Amino acid sequence: VQLQASGGGLVQAGGSLKLSCAASGIPFSINVMGWYRQAPEKQRELVATISSGGSTNYADSAKGRFTISRDNAKNTVYLQMNSLKPEDTAVYYCNSDRKYSRVVTGFGSWGQGTQVTVSS
């Protein structure tokens, strides 16, 4: 299983970034995908999930600003982040599993993270 996250960077508050997570070695089209983040000295937290059918769920902190999507033909999940805030600064990771419960509890397969830094 390989999950490679990319697209992070440094952006000013109010700006946007689009993260990507390319997957290989998994049955991507039937897997649940999730984005997590971990800020310094904080626990990893779930940001958003998307089911194989396209149903989405978001953490309260992400609602209205972030959009998760997937392209099954490209085996890729995306996280469009708008109106970024300094508190969004974290390493962002993707997670994947066939079972929704394992993704939301962080027991699916992990990819390498990508750093997002939002300056004030």
Side-chain angles (χ1 to χ4, degrees):
V1 176
Q2 282 195 324
L3 299 168
Q4 183 63 54
S6 61
L10 174 62
V11 64
Q12 288 188 331
S16 298
L17 282 174
K18 186 173 185 177
L19 307 183
S20 300
C21 176
S24 60
I26 62 170
F28 183 85
S29 64
I30 62 173
N31 269 28
V32 180
M33 302 297 297
W35 282 100
Y36 278 73
R37 67 185 182 186
Q38 186 167 19
E41 300 183 358
K42 291 189 176 182
Q43 288 190 331
R44 191 173 295 187
E45 62 176 0
L46 182 64
V47 176
T49 62
I50 185 166
S51 72
S52 57
S55 298
T56 59
N57 279 289
Y58 297 92
D60 287 344
S61 59
K63 288 179 181 176
R65 299 189 300 127
F66 295 1
T67 302
I68 188 171
S69 62
R70 63 192 295 159
D71 185 336
N72 289 340
K74 295 182 178 180
N75 282 10
T76 301
V77 62
Y78 305 97
L79 186 67
Q80 176 68 48
M81 304 186 295
N82 299 328
S83 302
L84 282 163
K85 305 174 182 180
E87 51 263 45
D88 294 317
T89 295
V91 178
Y92 284 70
Y93 301 87
C94 56
N95 189 276
S96 175
D97 198 87
R98 291 193 183 189
K99 294 184 178 181
Y100 179 78
S101 60
R102 288 178 58 85
V103 172
V104 297
T105 53
F107 284 99
S109 298
W110 289 102
Q112 291 184 319
T114 186
Q115 176 70 48
V116 171
T117 303
V118 184
S119 62
S120 57

